[in-house]
Amino acid sequence: MTAAAEGSPPLALGRRRRSSLLQTEPAQGFALISPTFLYALVLLVVPILVVVAHSFWTQNYLTIDRSFTLENYRVALTEPIYRDLLMRSLWISLLVSFFTVVMAYPIAYFISFHGGQHKGLWLFLITIPFWTSYLLRVMSWRVILGYNGVLNSGLMGLGFISEPSTALLYNTSAVVITLTHAWAAFAILPIFVSLEKVDRSLIEAATDLGDGPLRRFLRITLPLSSPGVIAALLIVMIPTVGDFVTPRLVGGKDGVMIANAIQAQFSKAANWPLGAALSVTTMVIVTAMAAAAVLIIRSAARLAR
Amino acid sequence: MPEHTPADHRTMIEISRVTRSYGAFKALDDASLTIREGEFFSLLGPSGCGKTTLLRMIAGFDNPTSGTIAVDGQPMDGIPANRRPTNMVFQSYAIFPHLNVEQNVAYGLKRLRLGAAEEKRRVEEALAQVSLTGLGKRGATELSGGQRQRVALARALVMRPKVLLLDEPLSALDKKLREQMQVELRRLQQAVGITFILVTHDQYEALAMSDRIAVMFGGRIAQVASPKEIYQRPVNRQVADFLGGMNFVKAEIVEENGASLVVDTLGFGRVRTDKPAAFVRNGKAATLGIRPERLRVLWDDAKAKFEVAGRVVERHYFGEITHLIVEIPGLENPLSVTETNDFGADDIPVGAPIRLAYDPDALVAMAD
């Protein structure tokens, strides 16, 4: 510090030190994220803490008994109805994320590798369905899958079936179909981004070393795009476990999911602590499932070498 | 290093009348070329001259619009890159980032199902060839530029290709490493005896490494010859200019016969030179060229059979050599002279009169 050696006043030195502290990279980073961070703290962390706290309390008709208990968790984990609902929700979300990624990958691949000059246009087209509300998109699947729906009348018109099928709507597969469609764009985008980052000369190098199209896809493109696949899986899997509108509208009796039960506890059944315990249990299990999915995909990518 | 004589080898690559057009633009225009087995062959030219296009067509990443390419007697039409007996070292090296060095090198072998022991042996052998023994487990992202280049080389060599294609492999390296790798690449090529085709825009690289060079401009092959011949007997001004410095002197043809050419020049008088094979007469005008290092400073009252006199106008010091710019009465452009510094060329004052000796054999006649 030459300025200090030349005997500049200590006040100026102190001020400069303070300002240089503010100019350090971490400090600037914190300053940049602080509005979002505060927002998240107030509207995300605090509510979660409230929910977690409730899950250890007891509903006493209109009041809450604040003494610590694990009874809610016992009910949430052992009552067959909640266990079944949870398992079904996880199963549905797994199916949905699997199908979404499987269907999104070719689309993302096409845009990235064959989109040419029109990549932007293709991405834009993919977002068009999202201009309408989520609710409308779910409702429109009722129009397609319903008793007098597009699919039934189409199949009848072609003579494949003689009377409308009731197997299309109000069951698990209707929920899976609707959610897969609803989340498609959220899976296409991360996969597209990771495919864009795959250096094309690597694919040429694999070709040069003797690999045909399928082999070089499996050995180069797929492993290198796995971060996008993982991101897509998580983006779809985590929110669909807790989806509540879709099972309500197209799920019928068979398609009820855990979120419907949680909603019931917070409203009609008026048992907030049990609802909270169900929520926390779901969160923990989703986290575990997501972590497991990441680990499985990573090791699969490693094996593919 | 043993003298390499590819002349008696058979043809490895036959490029006949290959054109590659993109719409109206011809990246390669009616190129024909024969490359011999075991030859270190360079495609030299400025960017956009079509050299990389030609290399990529040999590899199978691009297809000729017309004409054919044959490798080892086999026409390559319709054969995809993965089934050609060629392997490539990419300019970016294209090292697979998710694999370590060993896995990168073994990449192409996996498909051949050689068995673990044989595969390991060949990987080790290839790593030893490029002096990377012991680095097999190193991750692709933990390598220096030079090491990446060696991995790319090993990965291609391990396939034992009939032809190894190198797309500007040294351009990403710093000067010192590049010069070291030039020597190593040449040594490696001599050791394995595989036909190497190098694409480069660096004339010194091409001169130092090649058995033969094809100089390309604007999609056309201008000259194919040994480095020495290309340097000493360029077919035209473009080639001469691209391969180092050259003094050009206007000349007028006074006599032309089968093997020789007699021209009149202002500075050098009447000169008889060998007629270049590709010489095409274009009226009476011609150009006479002489390399700066073929002009020697005459000290004190030393005499030479052939000499020109002039005056030093500029002096540039380069350590072991000095560049002098010398004005010769009657010549349109001053001559540039390269002189080693052992006799004090770096002390010649600017403005001093000077006499330069030359060997008439060093004068080369060129079509304009």
Side-chain angles (χ1 to χ4, degrees):
Chain A
M1 291 260 99
T2 52
E6 282 158 14
S8 60
L11 183 73
L13 186 69
R15 195 181 296 146
R16 193 176 57 211
R17 213 175 256 162
R18 202 179 308 138
S19 66
S20 73
L21 184 69
L22 273 178
Q23 277 157 12
T24 61
E25 227 171 282
Q28 283 182 338
F30 283 127
L32 270 175
I33 63 163
S34 61
T36 332
F37 182 70
L38 285 175
Y39 184 84
L41 191 74
V42 174
L43 292 169
L44 200 71
V45 177
V46 173
I48 285 176
L49 290 178
V50 171
V51 168
V52 170
H54 269 86
S55 72
F56 293 108
W57 296 337
T58 313
Q59 186 86 31
N60 204 347
Y61 191 47
L62 285 177
T63 58
I64 298 267
D65 175 4
R66 290 206 164 89
S67 51
F68 180 84
T69 171
L70 287 173
E71 175 62 14
N72 297 317
Y73 284 101
R74 192 194 62 76
V75 174
L77 291 170
T78 56
E79 278 291 318
I81 171 138
Y82 299 126
R83 225 175 38 201
D84 288 356
L85 280 180
L86 194 60
M87 290 315 287
R88 183 190 292 161
S89 302
L90 295 176
W91 176 238
I92 287 177
S93 84
L94 258 181
L95 282 179
V96 168
S97 39
F98 174 77
F99 284 123
T100 311
V101 167
V102 164
M103 290 174 150
Y105 200 99
I107 299 173
Y109 185 91
F110 173 81
I111 299 173
S112 179
F113 282 82
H114 305 287
Q117 314 246 305
H118 307 296
K119 283 178 188 176
L121 178 69
W122 281 109
L123 292 176
F124 170 75
L125 289 176
I126 280 165
T127 63
I128 285 185
F130 294 85
W131 294 6
T132 60
S133 114
Y134 177 57
L135 211 58
L136 279 175
R137 274 177 286 136
V138 176
M139 290 297 281
S140 61
W141 274 105
R142 271 164 69 144
V143 176
I144 296 170
L145 300 172
Y147 188 78
N148 288 318
V150 178
L151 205 55
N152 267 330
S153 30
L155 287 173
M156 279 190 349
L158 290 170
F160 286 114
I161 48 174
S162 52
E163 56 184 68
S165 165
T166 52
L168 297 174
L169 194 58
Y170 301 126
N171 53 31
T172 310
S173 44
V175 177
V176 173
I177 290 171
T178 307
L179 285 174
T180 301
H181 171 244
W183 288 93
F186 297 97
I188 292 171
L189 290 174
I191 296 172
F192 169 76
V193 170
S194 70
L195 283 171
E196 281 290 282
K197 282 200 287 190
V198 176
D199 183 351
R200 300 307 192 254
S201 72
L202 297 178
I203 295 163
E204 278 192 346
T207 311
D208 188 62
L209 293 166
D211 275 357
L214 182 66
R215 277 177 166 276
R216 64 180 179 251
F217 172 75
L218 292 175
R219 295 176 76 188
I220 302 295
T221 316
L222 191 58
L224 289 179
S225 62
S226 64
V229 171
I230 291 174
L233 268 181
L234 296 184
I235 285 174
V236 178
M237 185 190 291
I238 293 169
T240 47
V241 173
D243 195 85
F244 146 81
V245 177
T246 306
R248 187 69 176 271
L249 291 177
V250 300
K253 189 158 58 61
D254 290 344
V256 178
M257 286 167 69
I258 191 72
N260 304 98
I262 294 172
Q263 191 255 350
Q265 292 306 323
F266 277 101
S267 57
K268 270 185 252 165
N271 189 348
W272 285 32
L274 182 57
L278 287 170
S279 305
V280 173
T281 310
T282 311
M283 272 193 280
V284 169
I285 289 175
V286 167
T287 310
M289 202 166 74
V294 172
L295 287 177
I296 288 168
I297 290 172
R298 285 231 178 111
S299 48
R302 213 167 292 139
L303 276 181
R305 289 169 196 177
Chain B
M1 202 185 287
E3 192 54 43
H4 202 67
T5 51
D8 45 275
H9 285 128
R10 62 202 184 85
T11 297
M12 178 50 83
I13 289 189
E14 184 79 58
I15 291 156
S16 11
R17 312 211 57 185
V18 168
T19 296
R20 177 69 175 99
S21 345
Y22 298 94
F25 171 70
K26 281 182 178 169
L28 201 64
D29 190 2
D30 197 17
S32 294
L33 198 60
T34 303
I35 298 169
R36 303 170 193 133
E37 186 179 17
E39 192 171 31
F40 198 126
F41 194 94
S42 293
L43 300 170
L44 173 68
S47 58
C49 73
K51 57 191 193 296
T52 301
T53 307
L54 182 55
L55 194 79
R56 289 176 60 83
M57 286 197 291
I58 297 172
F61 295 126
D62 200 349
N63 291 307
T65 310
S66 65
T68 54
I69 295 171
V71 178
D72 201 18
Q74 290 242 307
M76 289 288 121
D77 313 283
I79 297 181
N82 56 321
R83 283 197 251 123
R84 292 196 181 191
T86 57
N87 282 107
M88 184 137 154
V89 174
F90 290 82
Q91 187 172 11
S92 63
Y93 309 144
I95 305 297
F96 303 126
H98 57 307
L99 306 180
N100 67 22
V101 169
E102 222 169 62
Q103 291 165 327
N104 260 286
V105 176
Y107 189 94
L109 295 179
K110 288 270 182 266
R111 193 179 32 89
L112 305 178
R113 305 201 182 284
L114 301 167
E118 170 67 5
E119 184 184 298
K120 191 173 162 55
R121 201 188 60 72
R122 278 182 60 175
V123 169
E124 295 291 323
E125 182 191 74
L127 287 177
Q129 277 173 341
V130 298
S131 325
L132 280 181
T133 307
L135 288 183
K137 301 291 179 208
R138 190 71 70 86
T141 48
E142 306 163 67
L143 299 172
S144 70
Q147 287 170 333
R148 294 169 70 80
Q149 207 249 343
R150 286 160 196 266
V151 173
L153 205 55
R155 190 175 66 180
L157 278 176
V158 81
M159 302 304 293
R160 297 180 180 161
K162 286 181 178 163
V163 182
L164 186 75
L165 308 169
L166 302 116
D167 185 8
E168 308 232 8
L170 307 179
S171 61
L173 306 178
D174 61 63
K175 188 166 177 279
K176 202 149 188 182
L177 191 56
R178 193 162 64 224
E179 281 164 3
Q180 181 197 335
M181 282 309 295
Q182 285 174 10
V183 176
E184 271 190 50
L185 258 182
R186 176 65 182 167
R187 201 175 288 153
L188 183 67
Q189 190 266 340
Q190 301 267 315
V192 297
I194 292 172
T195 310
F196 276 35
I197 303 179
L198 172 83
V199 157
T200 182
H201 63 263
D202 182 332
Q203 66 273 23
Y204 297 110
E205 200 170 289
L207 291 174
M209 296 162 79
S210 322
D211 290 312
R212 286 193 306 149
I213 300 171
V215 187
M216 299 176 69
F217 291 103
R220 289 178 166 275
I221 297 174
Q223 187 172 10
V224 184
S226 69
K228 203 169 158 180
E229 196 180 335
I230 290 249
Y231 187 75
Q232 293 185 347
R233 300 270 153 211
V235 287
N236 60 34
R237 284 185 68 142
Q238 222 176 3
V239 174
D241 218 18
F242 194 72
L243 282 125
M246 177 73 103
N247 292 302
F248 297 109
V249 178
K250 263 191 187 166
E252 196 172 277
I253 301 170
V254 284
E255 190 191 321
E256 181 187 356
N257 56 44
S260 66
L261 206 60
V262 179
V263 294
D264 261 343
T265 64
L266 284 168
F268 294 89
R270 179 160 294 191
V271 184
R272 176 180 292 271
T273 66
D274 291 339
K275 192 168 81 174
F279 189 83
V280 181
R281 191 178 172 144
N282 182 14
K284 281 186 111 179
T287 298
L288 208 57
I290 185 162
R291 296 276 180 203
E293 73 277 10
R294 301 299 296 267
L295 289 161
R296 312 229 41 121
V297 174
L298 280 172
W299 302 98
D300 306 322
D301 48 2
K303 286 265 179 279
K305 201 173 168 196
F306 299 95
E307 58 179 79
V308 284
R311 194 174 57 85
V312 177
V313 288
E314 276 176 53
R315 191 187 66 210
H316 303 282
Y317 179 68
F318 286 92
E320 78 274 28
I321 54 161
T322 293
H323 278 236
L324 298 170
I325 310 293
V326 178
E327 232 170 41
I328 308 285
L331 277 195
E332 199 178 358
N333 297 312
L335 294 179
S336 118
V337 181
T338 309
E339 184 64 87
T340 52
N341 286 338
D342 9 348
F343 299 112
D346 46 333
D347 288 331
I348 298 173
V350 171
I354 194 168
R355 288 178 305 126
L356 303 167
Y358 65 92
D359 179 350
D361 284 347
L363 289 164
V364 50
M366 280 166 286
D368 258 343

